Amino acid sequence: MTEAQNELAPYAATVAHSRGRRHAEPPPALRTEFQRDRDRIIHSTAFRRLVYKTQVFVNYEGDLYRTRLTHSLEVAQIARTAARALRLNEDLVEAISLAHDLGHTPFGHAGQDALNECMREHGGFEHNLQSLRVVDHLEDRYASFRGLNLTFETREGILKHCSLKHALKLGDVGRRFLDRKQAGLEAQLANIADEIAYNNHDVDDGLRSGLVTLEQLATLPFLEEPLRRIKRTHPKLKPQLQGSELVREMIGRLVADLVAASAAAIAAAAPQSVDEVRALPHGLIESSAALREERLLLKRFLRDALYMHPRVQQMTAQARDTVKLLFESLTADYDRMPDEHAANAKALATAGDEAGAARVVADYIAGMTDRFALQTRDSLRAGR
Ligand code: MG
């Protein structure tokens, strides 16, 4: 099935111009190729695990905070709205958004930093690269190939950033980092939707946890006026709903601005195809200068007020220790991993490939949910 192409802009990705899958497959009957990508992502094991992976708050801290799963759904929702307004490929942007964090370790960024440190001698650990590794290699559920065999366009979107060292080894999806070319507009959009989503839901979760207050938020120049207006319009509104109204307004404003600024940038560059988009010296999906500045200020605010908050830092330190302990214990005795992982690591280590064996351990740890990582830590400590 192909998209109703008259509804898509000439610079949107289309199945007809897709660079295809690594292993050829017959076309799907009822869906487009990008819809099939999305469905494979939703059916993957890594996707289901996102429900028990930390965004900012560790899973056991409360049932109402965002997890990687609800974060990914919010990214997809924001990206789809903007994609439709810009006549981009909504199915593709949805697939990229749902897959973008599949490679995340347990315990959010703290877990990733710790694993990167453990892997320093063996090529490091980058979560974007790991998301691609999950869909290209680690998922194991199809008879004819390893991974999910996604289209080039979805894989390109998943690999947001990448060091040149790694880009060299990646083939087709690594090329653009070496050639300094752009990704397609759907990939650019999913990237910014990610930032809009986490900035806003972290404000919401920050307020809910009590670690961030409305008074603190009102110190930001661009939030003072909306907060005052919300209180004036609804004088008896309880603080929790003042926060919800504020977040709702911020998301709406950011998405409207993103669509308007991107539409203007697209009109100015006037690309007639995805290849023309890729060849441009800069991306076209971006907020206006004023809102880019606001996004930056909000990001800094969240870093100082929330991510550096002693309670979050305490969790961060615990996460770091857990990941290090897991890595050291599993490297010291591969048999503490399930049979298949243990056999792979042992075979590589015996062949003298230390980095390969370390990567098996890193893949195993990265795939863990928060609670499985904690359970494994406890049983390793107990010597079981
Ligand atoms: Mg994300």
Side-chain angles (χ1 to χ4, degrees), residues 260-281:
S262 303
I266 291 168
Q272 292 307 303
S273 68
V274 181
D275 284 336
E276 287 188 26
V277 167
R278 290 199 172 107
L280 288 168

Side-chain angles (χ1 to χ4, degrees), residues 139-381:
E139 280 290 321
D140 186 16
R141 51 190 305 112
Y142 297 95
S144 314
F145 44 79
R146 277 296 294 219
L148 304 179
N149 197 30
L150 303 180
T151 61
F152 170 86
E153 289 74 13
T154 301
R155 296 171 59 238
E156 171 189 51
I158 290 171
L159 194 66
K160 282 194 277 199
H161 316 285
C162 173
S163 58
L164 293 181
K165 184 181 67 178
H166 284 125
L168 273 168
K169 298 183 201 152
L170 285 173
D172 56 1
V173 279
R175 252 336 314 155
R176 78 177 151 99
F177 298 99
L178 304 172
D179 298 346
R180 295 176 183 278
K181 286 191 171 182
Q182 308 305 315
L185 295 181
E186 288 80 1
Q188 295 180 28
L189 174 54
N191 190 9
I192 294 186
D194 184 22
E195 190 184 320
I196 293 178
Y198 68 66
N199 272 340
N200 285 286
H201 64 50
D202 287 354
V203 168
D204 195 53
D205 281 353
L207 287 169
R208 186 181 296 279
S209 67
L211 302 187
V212 168
T213 63
L214 287 170
E215 289 69 34
Q216 278 177 304
L217 284 166
T219 62
L220 290 167
F222 56 96
L223 294 185
E224 193 212 344
E225 190 280 325
L227 266 173
R228 213 173 335 116
R229 179 164 32 76
I230 290 166
K231 282 184 199 165
R232 202 170 50 229
T233 319
H234 311 281
K236 294 203 171 110
L237 200 62
K238 54 183 179 180
Q240 194 192 335
L241 290 189
Q242 290 174 24
S244 310
E245 282 292 324
L246 181 71
V247 169
R248 169 191 172 198
E249 185 173 314
M250 283 199 300
I251 296 176
R253 188 158 161 265
L254 280 161
V255 174
D257 173 85
L258 179 69
V259 168
S262 303
I266 291 168
Q272 292 307 303
S273 68
V274 181
D275 284 336
E276 287 188 26
V277 167
R278 290 199 172 107
L280 288 168
H282 52 81
L284 297 177
I285 306 293
E286 193 38 288
S287 305
S288 64
L291 266 71
R292 263 205 311 273
E293 176 67 16
E294 289 185 11
R295 263 170 41 203
L296 197 70
L297 289 174
L298 187 60
K299 221 171 162 163
R300 276 195 207 135
F301 168 83
L302 282 168
R303 186 193 58 204
D304 297 342
L306 184 62
Y307 311 143
M308 300 302 283
H309 190 285
R311 219 184 94 195
V312 175
Q313 282 296 303
Q314 196 186 346
M315 180 281 279
T316 302
Q318 199 194 23
R320 209 178 294 130
D321 294 347
T322 301
V323 168
K324 281 190 180 155
L325 180 135
L326 291 174
F327 189 84
E328 282 161 18
S329 311
L330 299 173
T331 303
D333 182 0
Y334 298 130
D335 282 322
R336 286 170 171 160
M337 293 190 289
D339 293 347
E340 198 187 325
H341 300 279
N344 283 343
K346 279 191 273 188
L348 288 161
T350 308
D353 185 355
E354 288 295 324
R359 185 66 55 192
V360 173
V361 176
D363 285 341
Y364 180 56
I365 295 172
M368 291 180 180
T369 61
D370 293 358
R371 60 178 187 177
F372 184 71
L374 292 171
Q375 275 167 18
T376 307
R377 177 200 66 183
D378 291 346
S379 60
L380 286 169
R381 272 187 182 157

Side-chain angles (χ1 to χ4, degrees), residues 71 100-101 194:
H71 160 69
H100 84 283
D101 271 350
D194 184 22

